[in-house]
């Protein structure tokens, strides 16, 4: 049973749904560039049009209402609001667009969670060095302040940055995401560091300038799989799973929720490899500077994106060169009993969410938690009657209930990823995460509810009517 004020949401992000990539004065983002340069996205697809939510917002609002959501999580396109990335030039048409979205939602009694950054850095800032450059933190802070100032009278839940881990790793180490860098073993740690600095500066801005009047809350969304030892009785497997958690969730959660610095396990693994490889450059995992605002304590709640789980054993890293993979030095395997849905990385493990929630409660001092993303992918022929996904949502939500009732985790809300099928990054439109199907071959981009959308709507309605107090 969920409390009456439980948050039931669905999430999207700007580049994945909006389209209008150069409409009304929007500046380019690194995803516009990445796709147009044909950098390896499925069939060279791009988000130029996507779900065209820039023009079809009313359709999205109908979907949101049909589900009975209490909250909608969307992201702002930084370069739609500030085409060159700075508040020196404000694109008023962009401001109008998001004002309309927010006002329409509130008029329908749907609250808003806004993510300021979901992978789409203004290209103008990339040209200055992007997330690798220390100066990006102050630029992000200016953008965040602009958004708090402009929209904070109505937006009470803010996510500064979505998945710094994914941005750092896929964007700068693996090169699967924009800006497509493959600077193994170095850039990702710098990027993660600057994202933490940027987040902390924005949180302090909110805290000192806006909190008293706007009374909202600010955090960042961290993604992590649940990692557990392949053989719990094997010491090496146990420490490998700990290392995986430290390098994924701990990388960002430790500085913010625990010590103000990176996990010791992570720092020592990286230093050991630097020595072993005779690495003579700067320290790869930076130290937090006294000249920056402190990062410890800069989250008003814990925002978790959870998709899957892994069994972990030691070693297995064949990398000869410096790399994150070599630093981490684990092998991840899937339990044969876990079904894999659509994409190869997504083993369906609802009980992993419960375990991860318990871990967060225990390790990060029992924070309020919002599950800001969780979902199930479909590939191949479209199945509107997506029974697997219905089962997935039912069992996942029942694991969340158990985490709350039996483990005492303070979960405040759940956001399904995603409201509708959209541009799934490197997988283009070939992977569908929606509660609504979007027909990308139809000029109208018509939205049709999946059976799983109906199921989610039922769960929400039931929870709203059955709730105690
Ligand atoms: C989320 O990331 C994103 O926030 C969201 O925008 C996206 O649509 C959603 O996932 C679904 O993918 O390709 O083998 O290197 C989830 C965390 C981390 C999951 C990176 C996929 C890449 C595996 N993601 N991981 S691989």
């Amino acid at each position: 049973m969920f409390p009456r004020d439980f948050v039931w949401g669905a999430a999207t992000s700007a580049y994945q749904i909006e389209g209008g990539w150069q409409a009304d004065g929007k500046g380019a983002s690194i995803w516009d560039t990445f796709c147009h340069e044909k950098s390896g996205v499925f069939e060279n697809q791009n988000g130029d049009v996507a779900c065209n939510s820039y023009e079809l917002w009313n359709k999205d609002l109908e979907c949101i209402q049909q589900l009975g959501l209490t909250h909608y999580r969307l992201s702002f396109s930084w370069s739609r609001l500030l085409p060159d990335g700075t508040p020196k030039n404000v694109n008023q048409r962009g401001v109008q667009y998001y004002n309309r979205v927010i006002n329409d939602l509130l008029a329908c009694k749907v609250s808003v969670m806004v993510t300021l950054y979901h992978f789409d850095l203004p290209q103008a800032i990339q040209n200055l060095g992007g997330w690798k450059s220390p100066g990006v933190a102050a630029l992000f802070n200016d953008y965040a302040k602009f958004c708090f100032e402009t929209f904070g009278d109505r937006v009470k839940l803010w996510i500064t940055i979505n998945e710094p881990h994914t941005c750092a790793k896929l964007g700068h180490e693996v090169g699967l995401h924009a800006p497509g860098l493959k600077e193994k073993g170095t850039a990702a740690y710098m990027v993660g560091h600057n994202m933490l600095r940027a987040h902390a500066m924005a949180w302090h801005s909110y805290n000192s300038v806006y909190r008293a009047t706007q009374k909202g809350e600010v955090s960042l969304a961290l993604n992590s799989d649940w990692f557990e030892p392949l053989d719990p009785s094997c010491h090496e497997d146990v420490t490998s799973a700990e290392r995986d958690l430290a390098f994924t969730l701990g990388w960002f959660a430790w500085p913010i929720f625990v010590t103000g610095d990176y996990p010791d396990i992570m720092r020592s693994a990286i230093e050991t490899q630097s020595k072993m490889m005779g690495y003579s450059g700067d320290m790869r995992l930076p130290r937090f500077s006294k000249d920056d605002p402190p990062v410890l304590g800069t989250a008003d709640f814990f925002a978790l994106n959870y998709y899957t789980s892994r069994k972990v054993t030691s070693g297995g890293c064949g990398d000869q060169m410096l790399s994150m993979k070599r630093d981490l030095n684990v092998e991840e395997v899937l339990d044969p009993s876990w079904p894999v849905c659509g994409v190869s990385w997504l083993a369906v493990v609802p009980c992993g969410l419960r375990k991860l929630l318990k871990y967060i409660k225990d390790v990060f001092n029992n924070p309020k938690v919002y599950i800001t993303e969780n979902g199930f992918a479909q590939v191949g022929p479209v199945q509107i009657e997506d029974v697997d996904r219905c089962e997935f949502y039912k069992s996942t939500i029942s694991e969340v209930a158990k985490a709350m009732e039996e483990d005492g985790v303070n979960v405040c809300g759940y956001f399904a990823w995603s409201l509708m099928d959209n541009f799934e990054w490197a997988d283009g439109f070939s992977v569908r995460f929606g509660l609504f199907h979007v027909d990308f071959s139809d000029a109208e981009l018509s939205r049709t509810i999946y059976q799983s959308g109906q199921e989610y709507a039922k769960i929400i309605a039931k929870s709203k009517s059955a709730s105690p107090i």
Side-chain angles (χ1 to χ4, degrees):
M1 181 110 8
F2 290 90
R4 183 168 289 169
D5 60 355
F6 194 78
V7 163
W8 292 107
T12 58
S13 89
Y15 187 74
Q16 294 179 274
I17 66 164
E18 283 178 4
W21 77 282
Q22 46 184 8
D24 299 336
K26 176 184 168 292
S29 83
I30 56 174
W31 269 94
D32 294 313
T33 309
F34 187 74
C35 293
H36 295 155
E37 287 177 350
K38 310 205 183 328
S39 311
V41 172
F42 177 79
E43 292 185 350
N44 288 325
Q45 293 172 342
N46 60 55
D48 290 4
V49 179
C51 307
N52 197 12
S53 292
Y54 188 63
E55 290 180 300
L56 302 178
W57 156 246
N58 281 338
K59 299 278 169 218
D60 300 357
L61 183 60
E62 285 170 20
C63 299
I64 290 164
Q65 289 182 283
Q66 200 176 335
L67 294 175
L69 303 180
T70 68
H71 286 61
Y72 179 53
R73 174 178 178 230
L74 69 140
S75 85
F76 287 169
S77 159
W78 183 345
S79 62
R80 189 181 296 292
L81 288 166
L82 311 177
D84 66 9
T86 77
K88 281 183 216 117
N89 295 301
V90 176
N91 176 21
Q92 288 304 334
R93 305 287 296 272
V95 174
Q96 278 164 21
Y97 174 65
Y98 293 119
N99 271 334
R100 190 175 142 220
V101 168
I102 293 166
N103 294 343
D104 285 354
L105 285 164
L106 296 180
C108 297
K109 302 220 175 344
V110 179
S111 303
V112 193
M113 178 185 272
V114 168
T115 304
L116 293 175
Y117 183 77
H118 198 124
F119 303 175
D120 51 350
L121 194 71
Q123 183 59 42
I125 294 184
Q126 186 62 41
N127 296 346
L128 304 173
W131 286 110
K132 274 168 60 181
S133 152
V136 70
L139 293 168
F140 179 80
N141 186 36
D142 289 343
Y143 162 57
K145 284 193 292 188
F146 169 80
C147 292
F148 299 150
E149 185 78 44
T150 310
F151 305 102
D153 55 336
R154 290 153 292 153
V155 177
K156 303 301 166 188
L157 287 170
W158 294 98
I159 298 292
T160 53
I161 295 176
N162 182 66
E163 299 191 352
H165 182 276
T166 304
C167 297
K169 183 179 162 196
L170 297 192
H172 301 79
E173 166 95 10
V174 179
L176 208 63
H177 280 194
L181 302 182
K182 297 177 187 168
E183 301 175 6
K184 289 196 184 295
T186 54
Y189 299 127
M190 191 53 75
V191 164
H193 192 69
N194 288 329
M195 288 191 142
L196 279 165
R197 293 176 54 243
H199 160 79
M201 284 170 82
W203 184 89
H204 282 285
S205 294
Y206 192 84
N207 197 45
S208 56
V209 183
Y210 301 99
R211 187 188 300 282
T213 50
Q214 298 186 351
K215 302 187 167 58
E217 297 187 307
V218 182
S219 188
L220 80 177
L222 302 181
N223 61 298
S224 187
D225 302 348
W226 169 245
F227 299 106
E228 59 189 36
L230 180 61
D231 173 359
S233 69
C234 166
H235 176 71
E236 290 231 304
D237 288 7
V238 172
T239 55
S240 298
E242 283 171 3
R243 207 157 54 246
D244 225 347
L245 274 164
F247 268 81
T248 312
L249 195 57
W251 182 1
F252 301 97
W254 227 262
I256 292 176
F257 291 92
V258 188
T259 60
D261 196 5
Y262 298 109
D264 289 341
I265 308 178
M266 182 178 181
R267 193 177 286 286
S268 67
I270 293 171
E271 281 173 7
T272 303
Q273 286 303 322
S274 288
K275 275 199 202 107
M276 206 193 271
M277 303 294 283
Y279 177 78
S280 58
D282 293 343
M283 197 188 308
R284 289 191 292 138
L285 188 66
R287 297 243 172 227
F288 289 97
S289 160
K290 296 256 177 310
D291 300 334
D292 282 330
V295 66
L296 182 63
T298 60
D300 302 321
F301 55 91
F302 200 107
L304 173 72
N305 294 357
Y306 170 81
Y307 285 88
T308 189
S309 294
R310 295 286 184 268
K311 301 261 178 177
V312 189
T313 178
S314 73
C317 178
D319 280 19
Q320 298 300 308
M321 312 286 276
L322 217 53
S323 71
M324 279 181 72
K325 198 163 175 227
R326 194 183 158 101
D327 294 332
L328 173 56
N329 189 33
V330 300
E331 191 180 352
E332 296 174 353
V333 294
L334 300 183
D335 189 287
S337 73
W338 296 339
V340 172
C341 83
V343 275
S344 62
W345 57 268
L346 215 174
V348 181
V349 197
C351 66
L353 176 55
R354 177 178 173 189
K355 293 176 191 169
L356 186 54
L357 288 169
K358 175 73 164 59
Y359 174 88
I360 288 168
K361 177 191 174 191
D362 294 344
V363 174
F364 304 119
N365 197 21
N366 196 16
K368 286 200 290 195
V369 182
Y370 287 92
I371 297 154
T372 36
E373 283 180 33
N374 175 253
F376 181 104
Q378 189 181 93
V379 296
V382 177
Q383 281 177 279
I384 294 294
E385 286 169 11
D386 53 348
V387 272
D388 296 0
R389 185 152 42 192
C390 291
E391 279 313 307
F392 163 81
Y393 277 116
K394 277 196 265 186
S395 70
T396 302
I397 289 166
S398 98
E399 293 296 327
V400 175
K402 283 188 230 162
M404 296 169 71
E405 286 159 13
E406 294 173 36
D407 306 334
V409 185
N410 188 4
V411 185
C412 303
Y414 175 87
F415 290 79
W417 183 272
S418 174
L419 177 66
M420 59 192 160
D421 295 343
N422 57 46
F423 178 78
E424 179 49 29
W425 308 116
D427 290 320
F429 298 100
S430 69
V431 173
R432 299 181 298 273
F433 271 95
L435 293 165
F436 282 78
H437 173 255
V438 178
D439 185 351
F440 294 103
S441 65
D442 162 21
E444 311 277 297
L445 294 162
S446 54
R447 283 92 159 124
T448 308
I449 195 162
Y450 284 105
Q451 196 175 317
S452 57
Q454 316 258 27
E455 187 63 51
Y456 189 45
K458 256 190 246 161
I459 294 172
I460 297 173
K462 195 167 149 219
S463 154
K464 280 184 184 166
S465 66
S467 296
I469 329 143

